[in-house]
Amino acid sequence: FLPVWFLGLTLLFKEIRGEPVRGAVWWYALLFGYATMTRTHTIFMPLVAAYAYFLIRSSWKKILSTVFILFIVGQLINLPWIIRNYRQWGIYLPYTATFFTIYSDNNPSVKSANNNGATPKPGEEGYVPELEKAIAAYDVPVMERLAKQETVRWILKNPSSFLLLGTEKILHFMAPNRERGVWAIDLIQEALKKQPKAQLSPAAEHFVEETAFAAYYLVLYFFFFGLVWVARSWKHRSQVSRHSLLVLGLCFSFYLAEHFIIYPERKYRFPLELLMLIVASAFINFLIYDFKPFSQD
């Protein structure tokens, strides 16, 4: 997912710098479409590419055609999955983050960001007997229809609860606490549970976990300092730098908006950490080259 998504972003930044990219829109369609098939997180990229063209003052024809081409080609790349789901259940189901998944994370029974996949039980607000029957029978068409209906109903009926829960999800998603272990280690240990001798030793596991937590602390706090430094130096930055940062910011915002709705599993934070490093590097660059508190100059 990451090499494909970042290759597309690299080509987009080349265009922002004024460097021509032959067949750029079609490359974006293929790269971002394949990335989205791999991980649904980049479904917003048609809008990001259009925004980049808006910043560099491309024609409205090119902006609108970019959105159209990226969306259509992305759907074509995803066509095998769409056909498989239609043959299986007779409905249009393009991605795995279905409305049932969204409803399980956005309903009256979910009281905190950590309450993953809790659908209302009998007697609780939001309980739908037909939905429970559909879940038990794995009746996907009925599950999708009712889950979409109940998700929209809950959000419209409880907008303050939705906004509060979404905010908690983002804070949980980005938090540097140790509420959960390091997901990569957890998966390795789980996969090797039948081969205990092949698992990481307690000492090695502890060392890798501590290293991972320390790395995220550095990324997060240097990112915050970087945001302040970028804001202070905004007027003095080149147009290319400002446009590139705005495009990164839009990717970041869309990515967080997705996790405002779906369950904030921290293993999906890693792509954001790489984007955060770009902003953090601006502050590190300032510390190395421009921060001279004892200089007379």
Side-chain angles (χ1 to χ4, degrees), residues 32-240:
F32 296 144
Y34 184 68
T36 304
M37 185 189 72
T38 309
R39 282 273 174 246
T40 318
H41 297 89
T42 46
I43 194 171
F44 53 75
M45 285 310 297
L47 298 178
V48 172
Y51 179 60
Y53 282 145
F54 172 77
L55 290 175
I56 61 178
R57 299 184 178 182
S58 297
S59 67
W60 280 106
K61 180 181 178 181
K62 184 171 184 178
I63 293 172
L64 295 175
S65 64
T66 296
V67 174
F68 179 78
I69 292 172
L70 264 63
F71 175 77
I72 294 299
V73 174
Q75 292 295 297
L76 290 175
I77 292 174
N78 204 36
L79 197 57
W81 177 250
I82 295 172
I83 293 173
R84 177 265 182 196
N85 287 342
Y86 189 81
R87 291 180 64 183
Q88 187 83 9
W89 297 304
I91 59 172
Y92 173 73
L93 194 63
Y95 301 111
T96 54
T98 63
F99 263 99
F100 173 69
T101 306
I102 293 173
Y103 180 62
S104 68
D105 298 323
N106 297 275
N107 65 71
S109 74
V110 181
K111 304 301 181 184
S112 69
N114 292 332
N115 193 358
N116 181 22
T119 52
K121 305 300 180 187
E124 292 182 339
E125 182 186 358
Y127 173 68
V128 181
E130 294 84 0
L131 180 58
E132 185 177 48
K133 291 178 182 177
I135 294 171
Y138 203 66
D139 189 339
V140 174
V142 176
M143 284 166 53
E144 278 297 288
R145 177 176 56 82
L146 292 176
K148 179 187 289 188
Q149 173 184 303
E150 293 302 314
T151 301
V152 173
R153 178 181 298 173
W154 180 76
I155 292 174
L156 294 178
K157 187 178 178 181
N158 305 278
S160 58
S161 298
F162 170 66
L163 293 173
L164 180 61
L165 179 62
T167 302
E168 289 179 357
K169 289 177 183 177
I170 295 302
L171 293 175
H172 172 76
F173 191 54
M174 301 301 295
N177 60 38
R178 296 166 179 245
E179 193 172 313
R180 292 282 299 276
V182 178
W183 64 269
I185 297 176
D186 294 342
L187 291 177
I188 290 171
Q189 299 294 69
E190 175 68 20
L192 297 175
K193 64 182 179 181
K194 294 183 179 180
Q195 305 174 52
K197 292 184 178 180
Q199 289 184 323
L200 292 173
S201 67
E205 184 175 352
H206 177 73
F207 173 77
V208 176
E209 282 189 349
E210 291 300 311
T211 304
F213 285 127
Y216 183 63
Y217 299 155
L218 289 173
V219 171
L220 181 66
Y221 294 116
F222 273 118
F223 170 68
F224 287 148
F225 288 128
L227 285 177
V228 174
W229 175 244
V230 166
R232 288 192 60 187
S233 61
W234 188 257
K235 293 182 179 179
H236 305 291
R237 307 191 78 82
S238 67
Q239 188 178 63
V240 168

